[in-house]
Each structure stands twice: as C-alpha cells, then as structure tokens.
Amino acid sequence: MESDPQIRPSGNVKFGDFQVNAAMALAKERGTNPRALAEEILKAADVAGIADKCEVAGPGFINVTLTRACTESCLTKLAASETFGVPAPMDPHAVVVDLCGVNVAKQMHVGHLRATIIGDSLARVFERLGRKVWRENHLGDWGLPIAMTLAKLMRERADFARLSLDDLNHAYRGAQKETSTADLDAAYENHCGPHRIAEFEIQYEPARAAMEDAKKTLVRLQSGDPEIVRLWERLIEVTMEQVYEAARTLNVKVGRENNRGESFFRDRLAGVIDAFAKSGLAKSDRGAMVVPFADRERPLLIQKSDGGFLYATTDLAAVRFRTFELDGSLVVYVVDARQRDHFKDVFDAARLIGWNKTADGAESTLVHLGFGAVLGSDKKPLKTRSGENFTLKDLLDEACERGTAEVTRRAGDPNAPTHGLPSDELAKIGAAVGIAAVKYADLSGDLTKDYVFDLDSMITFEGDTGPYLQYAHARIASILAKSGESPAAIAAASFALAEPAEKTLALHLLRYAQMTLDVGRTLETNRVGLYLRTLAELFNAFYQSCPVLKADDPATRLARLKLCAITRAILADGLSLYGIVAPDRM
RNA sequence: GCGCGCGUAGCUCAAUUGGAUAGAGCAUCGGUCUUCGGAACCGACGGUUGGGGGUUCGAAUCCCUCCGCGCGCGCCA
C-alpha cells in the first residue's frame, strides 16, 4: 500500500514530537473508522528504540515522542553532514532562474530589487540542493527603444567615453518624448477633419524625423555596422555598471557572466516563426502571425504585420534555449505579477510545440514566479517625496547608512564586542545589517503579494527582522569564541539532550533539510525566514534556561557548546540562502 | 465588458499546503535581569479569517455566490 504517511511536526508540544495524519485520509478512502485504523497501524509499527511513546488521539492522529537516544544520533549525523542533511538531488538536470531583467539606458528601481534578490535566493536554494543553476539576466538590450536612445545621443554628439547612467536615462526619456505622435495618432483614430490633421502633421514633423533617424540606426545596428555596435556595447556597459554595483551591495551573485539579453536571441527569432508556421500551430491574422489557443479567445501574437518580432517571440526563443540547450528541467521566471497572462501564453505556446523538453527528452517545468508590487505607506507604488520613482541605489544607500549609524551607536558601549573597531570595519558590518533588513523583509513574506516598504520598521532591528537573526548568530559566535575550546574539540564531543529546551531545539535543527526541499518544491522563500525565526527563538529559549559556559560539569558544557556550534552553522547557512551575511560580532 | 489575483488582530504579516485551541512583530499595558552581548526573554490586551451558502471527521485554505480593492487585456518591451 503506497500512501503519503503525512508525518508532521506536532502542532502542539503536549502532543509529542511528531504527528501522523495518514489514518484519517486512509480511513476516508476505505470508508472505515479512522481511530480503529490508527490503532491498527500502531500495532503493526515497530518503534523500538525510536519512539518513547506512540498513541492515538482525537479523530485519528497518531502522536509520536522520539527517544532521546534517537534524537541525539540523528543530530550527530546532521553535525557531520557537509550539506546539513540535504540529500543528493534526484534530478540531474539544471535549474534556470530568470532574474533581475534590467533594461538598457534605464535606472534600476525597487521592482528590480525583488526580481534580483528573489531570483538569487531561489538560485542559492537550488545550489544548496545540489542542482546546477543558471542565473539568466534577460536584459532589455535590443530593439527600437535602444536605437532611439542611441540615435538621439549620436545626434547630440554625446561623448560616449564619458557617458553616465543619468545621461543615458535622460536620452532615453527624451527620445521617447520627441518621437511621440500620440495626438496625431488619436486624430486619425477619431477621424478628425483634414484641416486638423494637417495641423498636427506639421507639428509632428520633427517627431517623424526623429523616428526615421531611429529606425535607420536600428537597421545599422541589426546589420552589424561596427561603429554602431561599438556604441551600443558602450550603452550596455554603462547601464550594467549599476547592476554590478547593486549586486555587490546586495551580496547577490549576478555579474557580467549572467548577461544573456534579448540581443542574444536575435538570430533565433525567424526560426521561432518558422517552427510555429511549419507545425501548423501559428496562423496569419490581419497580416500578423498568431498562435491561437483552444481554451481562450485571444491568441498570442508572435510576429507583427510588418514582419517585426515581439516580446513573445524572444521569450519563446529563450524558453527553447533554456530547456534544450541549458538543460533546464525547471525554468523559473522571476518577473512581476502583472505579466502573468503573458507568461501563461508563452508557456502554453511552448508546450504546444514541445519546447518544454530538455535535450534528452525530460519534461521541463516552466514557472512564472509573479511577485507583487512594492508599495509606499499610502499603498500606492513606492515614490519619493517629490513623486519620482525610488531608484534602487537611493534605497540601498539609505539602508546601509542607517545600518552603519546603528552599529556605530552600539559600538559606543564599552562592553560591546564591536567597541573600538575602526570605522571602516563598522561600516562593513553596518551595511550587512542594513541590507539584511531590506532583504529579509522582502523574502520572508508571501512573494506573490504586494508589500509595503517601510524602512523604519525594517531598520528597527527588533522582532521579526533580518538583524534579529544576525544578532542571534553573533551571540552564539561570541559564546563559542569565549569558550576557549577548539572547533575540533567541540566537534569531537557528544550531544546530551537532557533539558526540554535542548530537545526542542534539536528537533528543529533536524528539519533544516526538509525545509530546504520544501522551498525548492514550492518556491516559497518565506519558509526560510519562518524556519530561521523559529530557530532563533528556540535557541533563545535554550540560552535562557541552559547555561553553556557556566554549565555544571565539563561534559555538559562541551555538549552544549556542540549544540551552539550546530545551531550557529545552520543559522549561517540558512541566512546564506537569502544571501544575508552573518557577522560574528555586530 | 472579459480575464487573473488578493481580502486574516488598530498597523505590517504568518499559519508546516485540508489538521487539534488561527500565531508573530510593531503599538498599548505589565513583568524578568548584580547579562553567556538587553538588537533578549516571559505575560496581558486584541479575531464572526470581507458577507452568505456548500463539500467532510475537520476549512483561513477546496467549490458556488455576492461585496470591496488591485492588475492585465494584438502588432511596446
């Protein structure tokens, strides 16, 4: 009989350590009495040496209390494990994470914060799970908007060697504005009189000219004109400098090697149309190529009536590349939730044509992780006081400053371990603390929901925050350092889980691997935060009731130091899943 | 209009994916400590999980319906 045993940690300590919920589900299936079935299971189970107590309770729960020896032996295995108990992966294929997604000539804003740190965190989780991971930064580095910016900069004889991101941004917005013929288009749309339209035509003559210029530039870029390509590469370089800097600040593994933008796929777009046309999945509609779906009205547009390609065309080329060439059996798109419909269409089209397969034919799972918006306290998209979009740099700078201010203030206390450290050292710790606050606040919530960005409550460093976890870690590190014992001596010691607080902490430590597997399965990064917060709370409870350095006897002291060491290691590893550094003092 | 998503304590969020008495953090009030680092710990207050109906041993979670909010809807990316 194959069935999920439904073994869960007990919801309440008075019920024991674990509860088995399988009897109730099984009884429903068979139409028998759940309590009687639970009794039967209990009779058949051999729990000698594993459980002290097993009993049926409530409608058919089986409550299990583990023996001390069993818990200790599991914990000893965990302490010796290089992967913290995480088993080798079942799936040999890669995981592809689409993250960051900046656009050339545009500033990073808070939306990119989410796309970057969520993607990086998931990548770290899959790396912990032993998977090969590709972090793919799908830059918006191709197409008319870029050509418009390039054309404008060239007309203005900009010095490309000295361009700043602000210059680019200014040119980008200027180009958008000066080529806009919105009023004229509206006049045609509304069938205005010829006189009115003629007036608009004259008025919009410069816009037409600018657009013509941009299109010519685009053709030169597309045909590989060396001069234009060189300038285009410069635009990308200037844009990406901010990304690399933000990545350093955020402790995110995103660099030049992860750049694979729209331009990378430019030679594959015609092939996408061909493939869909040949397979009969795409048809012509009003001069454009579309992929219709059986279950919905609107099709997916993959080629414009003028022959041009679209967002969806590039995405389809990217899907095929990621599954077939990068060998991804899981491809996660970390892109904001508003693009849900788009990705549903793209993924369905990819499945229709069979591109959701790795080279060896394994099925690939395509997932859009649509994250929610970052809101201000007014519940509207986050803006500065003057109404501008918050740039990511401004936000990170402020987080680091406030972290540093707090760390510096506390270092003023002569008893603080940070007392007397040089200011650059304090700034380093302060930045780690400020960034931890921002990242934890983002990653520990439900990713799909909008959230209110409130730097004040994040930087309070009290309660459910990243710095709270860092602090717990620093305190443990401090105990270990003060003990005077070598890591080898601690590693050689035996666990002795005598007190209830010790056993509860141990049981939670044993769940680390399962938590990591759960995050890999559900992509819910908040599980990491929940786990670590609980771990810190259980450690604090232990710390409160069980003296370590002043333990009654040397064996207990060493056993508790060993419990501290494994807790510290798992806390640090868990924080690393968020890309949060855990300083030894703060 | 059609489609998708979301409504949980005063505020910001959880709830081990259908489990036992819905939990934390802020805020408010009270307590612990001659500290293993007080960025801590313990307690109190606070709930008809938007309303109503249904499914079953059991629902914040699944289904239906209404209300409210947000987002997206063919030649931009």
Side-chain angles (χ1 to χ4, degrees), chain A residues 44 67 118 151 190 214 216 236 266 313-314 345 403 434 517 523 572 581 584:
Chain A
T67 63
I118 293 168
N190 300 326
K216 272 185 207 154
I236 295 173
R266 63 188 185 243
T313 326
T314 309
D345 290 352
L517 288 164
L523 308 180
V581 295
D584 283 346

Side-chain angles (χ1 to χ4, degrees), chain A residues 68 72 495-503 542 546 556 559-560 563:
Chain A
R68 178 175 152 183
E72 284 173 357
F495 287 112
L497 305 171
E499 297 296 322
E502 292 176 299
K503 187 179 178 187
F542 155 76
C546 304
T556 305
R560 286 182 179 164
L563 192 53

Side-chain angles (χ1 to χ4, degrees), chain A residues 40-86:
Chain A
E40 229 177 288
I41 293 171
L42 213 52
K43 236 178 263 172
D46 178 17
V47 295
I50 299 170
D52 278 334
K53 202 168 76 174
C54 283
E55 55 189 11
V56 176
F61 296 103
I62 302 172
N63 291 329
V64 181
T65 304
L66 241 48
T67 63
R68 178 175 152 183
C70 178
T71 313
E72 284 173 357
S73 114
C74 290
L75 196 61
T76 303
K77 268 186 217 155
L78 177 65
S81 166
E82 303 229 326
T83 61
F84 302 97
V86 175

Side-chain angles (χ1 to χ4, degrees), chain A residues 126-172:
Chain A
F126 285 111
E127 282 162 352
R128 165 50 69 229
L129 293 173
R131 301 287 294 267
K132 163 69 190 168
V133 177
W134 292 93
R135 288 171 171 80
E136 295 286 295
N137 192 352
H138 194 80
L139 318 175
D141 62 356
W142 199 246
L144 191 58
I146 313 287
M148 280 161 57
T149 309
L150 202 50
K152 183 169 174 63
L153 285 166
M154 288 168 70
R155 275 202 306 282
E156 292 173 351
R157 302 187 185 286
D159 180 357
F160 277 71
R162 295 171 180 225
L163 277 181
S164 71
L165 182 58
D166 277 342
D167 297 334
L168 290 197
N169 206 231
H170 193 254
Y172 178 88

Side-chain angles (χ1 to χ4, degrees), chain A residues 35-282:
Chain A
R35 273 198 77 110
L37 187 61
E39 297 284 4
E40 229 177 288
I41 293 171
L42 213 52
K43 236 178 263 172
D46 178 17
V47 295
I50 299 170
D52 278 334
K53 202 168 76 174
C54 283
E55 55 189 11
V56 176
F61 296 103
I62 302 172
N63 291 329
V64 181
T65 304
L66 241 48
T67 63
R68 178 175 152 183
C70 178
T71 313
E72 284 173 357
S73 114
C74 290
L75 196 61
T76 303
K77 268 186 217 155
L78 177 65
S81 166
E82 303 229 326
T83 61
F84 302 97
V86 175
M90 307 282 281
D91 186 341
H93 300 281
V95 176
V96 180
V97 181
D98 180 308
L99 77 180
C100 189
V102 294
N103 294 308
V104 166
K106 286 168 97 172
Q107 213 110 33
M108 287 181 92
H109 53 78
V110 284
H112 294 115
L113 172 76
R114 301 212 80 186
T116 302
I117 66 179
I118 293 168
D120 180 63
S121 182
L122 288 174
R124 286 164 180 272
V125 168
F126 285 111
E127 282 162 352
R128 165 50 69 229
L129 293 173
R131 301 287 294 267
K132 163 69 190 168
V133 177
W134 292 93
R135 288 171 171 80
E136 295 286 295
N137 192 352
H138 194 80
L139 318 175
D141 62 356
W142 199 246
L144 191 58
I146 313 287
M148 280 161 57
T149 309
L150 202 50
K152 183 169 174 63
L153 285 166
M154 288 168 70
R155 275 202 306 282
E156 292 173 351
R157 302 187 185 286
D159 180 357
F160 277 71
R162 295 171 180 225
L163 277 181
S164 71
L165 182 58
D166 277 342
D167 297 334
L168 290 197
N169 206 231
H170 193 254
Y172 178 88
R173 282 192 292 215
Q176 291 288 327
K177 216 179 255 176
E178 75 182 2
T179 55
S180 168
T181 53
D183 291 348
L184 178 60
D185 296 342
Y188 276 111
E189 191 91 353
N190 300 326
H191 305 289
C192 290
H195 185 71
R196 187 82 185 274
I197 286 180
E199 242 175 54
F200 274 129
E201 287 283 5
I202 293 165
Q203 190 185 330
Y204 281 104
E205 185 48 39
R208 283 271 158 88
M211 188 55 98
E212 275 313 300
D213 187 27
K215 283 185 176 166
K216 272 185 207 154
T217 308
L218 181 60
V219 169
R220 287 176 70 191
L221 179 62
Q222 285 170 336
S223 64
D225 180 325
E227 190 202 341
I228 299 290
V229 168
R230 193 175 53 78
L231 297 177
W232 169 71
E233 283 170 348
R234 179 73 192 137
L235 289 200
I236 295 173
E237 192 54 35
V238 172
T239 303
M240 294 310 290
E241 203 41 61
Q242 64 164 339
V243 177
Y244 307 144
E245 192 194 328
R248 276 193 296 274
T249 308
L250 283 166
N251 191 34
V252 155
K253 293 186 213 164
V254 173
R256 188 172 275 105
E257 66 280 11
N258 302 293
N259 293 348
R260 187 149 25 219
E262 290 164 351
S263 64
F264 177 84
F265 298 101
R266 63 188 185 243
D267 296 330
R268 302 169 184 240
L269 303 180
V272 170
I273 308 300
D274 276 354
F276 273 90
K278 266 189 204 139
S279 62
L281 292 167

